[in-house]
Amino acid sequence: TVRQAQQSIEGPSQGIAGVVRVGTVNSVGMFLLPDVLRAMRDKYPAVRPTILYRNSHEVLEALAANQVDAAVVANPPADRRLDSETILEEAISLVCSRSHPLCEAETVRPSDLGGASFVSLTPESPTGELIRNYLTRMGVNVRPVVSTDNVETVRKMVEVGLGVALLPDMVTKDDIGCLGEPKGELCRIDIGPNLTRRIALLTWKQIKPSPAVNAFLEELRAHGRRWKGCTDYQAERERLG
């Protein structure tokens, strides 16, 4: 195929090179991919990643239309044409400002949120749908003060005190040190029963990835194995010198 012919010339004998086209959503790509791309730049400087941000449905359509080589999304539907592998299972936690009364809690139950001012993700996104279904299953009615499809917007609104939110841990990883120390303006509290989402990598079953695409896939898998959902500030200081 044209795709296979294009990929066959992307691995010159001097090293791995070529374009890697990745489709993702903002609640994953903004927070998970930068470290992966930094490692790719250091190891494979001749590889040129391009990132397509769309909603989950559009990302999967782009994969089907050969507009991307791989998709990295949350909780994708099953598709027998695609290989799907879990990169990581990620907790979704309660997030509030440091001045909020719940900030001192170690764990909250969904019933603690009844009537709380709530900044919500719209249920059109898989993560927003997951959160909505969780609260419905727990019999909890929250009072949405604002809804949006952008997790970073939710984070900022919580930061200024508009309400609390349920957010994937990667959204607040820069606010929480791996020793539990808060570093930003937000608190992150475990919620029980646990709520998690699956971050998945999707590729075509019938297409062998190019060396450049394969290098990206391996780096993404390695990053998923190392992922902690927090920031190791000592390691960051050592890295930056």
Side-chain angles (χ1 to χ4, degrees):
T1 67
V2 172
R3 182 179 190 179
Q4 289 170 319
Q6 177 187 6
Q7 291 183 345
S8 69
I9 64 173
E10 290 181 350
S13 59
Q14 284 84 5
I16 294 175
V19 174
V20 179
R21 306 168 302 166
V22 181
T24 190
V25 295
N26 74 66
S27 73
V28 177
M30 289 175 60
F31 307 99
L32 183 66
L33 291 186
D35 288 341
V36 177
L37 298 178
R38 182 176 63 190
M40 287 292 296
R41 180 198 62 192
D42 293 342
K43 294 179 182 179
Y44 309 104
V47 171
R48 301 186 307 280
T50 63
I51 311 300
L52 175 73
Y53 281 98
R54 295 288 188 273
N55 66 41
S56 281
H57 177 72
E58 290 169 337
V59 168
L60 297 181
E61 284 189 338
L63 182 61
N66 187 28
Q67 295 170 353
V68 295
D69 301 302
V72 186
V73 295
N75 293 16
D79 188 325
R80 284 185 286 183
R81 299 171 300 171
L82 305 176
D83 279 326
S84 175
E85 61 181 282
T86 300
I87 295 301
L88 59 92
E89 291 278 351
E90 177 189 22
I92 294 175
S93 303
L94 181 74
V95 179
C96 64
S97 68
R98 294 181 70 178
S99 62
H100 195 281
L102 287 174
C103 184
E104 300 300 320
E106 293 186 4
T107 305
V108 297
R109 299 191 63 80
S111 56
D112 297 329
L113 305 180
S117 297
F118 199 77
V119 183
S120 65
L121 283 170
T122 55
E124 286 75 22
S125 70
T127 301
E129 182 182 23
L130 182 71
I131 292 169
R132 182 195 62 181
N133 291 345
Y134 173 84
L135 292 173
T136 300
R137 193 167 64 250
M138 296 293 110
V140 176
N141 291 316
V142 294
R143 181 164 57 90
V145 293
V146 66
S147 297
T148 176
D149 63 355
N150 189 292
V151 290
E152 183 62 19
T153 302
V154 171
R155 179 187 175 281
K156 290 293 186 182
M157 291 182 177
V158 171
E159 190 176 277
V160 300
L162 284 181
V164 302
L166 291 174
L167 282 175
D169 280 359
M170 66 175 62
V171 179
T172 56
K173 72 180 182 68
D174 292 335
D175 296 281
I176 306 296
C178 289
L179 298 178
E181 70 276 28
K183 291 291 184 179
E185 299 300 319
L186 298 175
C187 292
R188 189 170 75 194
I189 305 108
D190 293 339
I191 189 166
N194 294 340
L195 176 61
T196 62
R197 70 172 185 170
R198 172 179 173 254
I199 306 302
L201 167 65
L202 303 174
T203 54
W204 279 99
K205 285 182 176 179
Q206 302 301 322
I207 302 295
K208 181 180 179 181
S210 71
V213 171
N214 200 50
F216 170 81
L217 301 182
E218 288 303 316
E219 194 61 44
L220 178 64
R221 293 174 183 125
H223 185 72
R225 292 191 293 268
R226 295 191 301 265
W227 189 83
K228 299 177 181 178
C230 56
T231 298
D232 187 336
Y233 287 99
Q234 181 176 350
E236 281 292 293
R237 286 192 293 270
E238 290 174 355
R239 185 183 67 82
L240 296 173

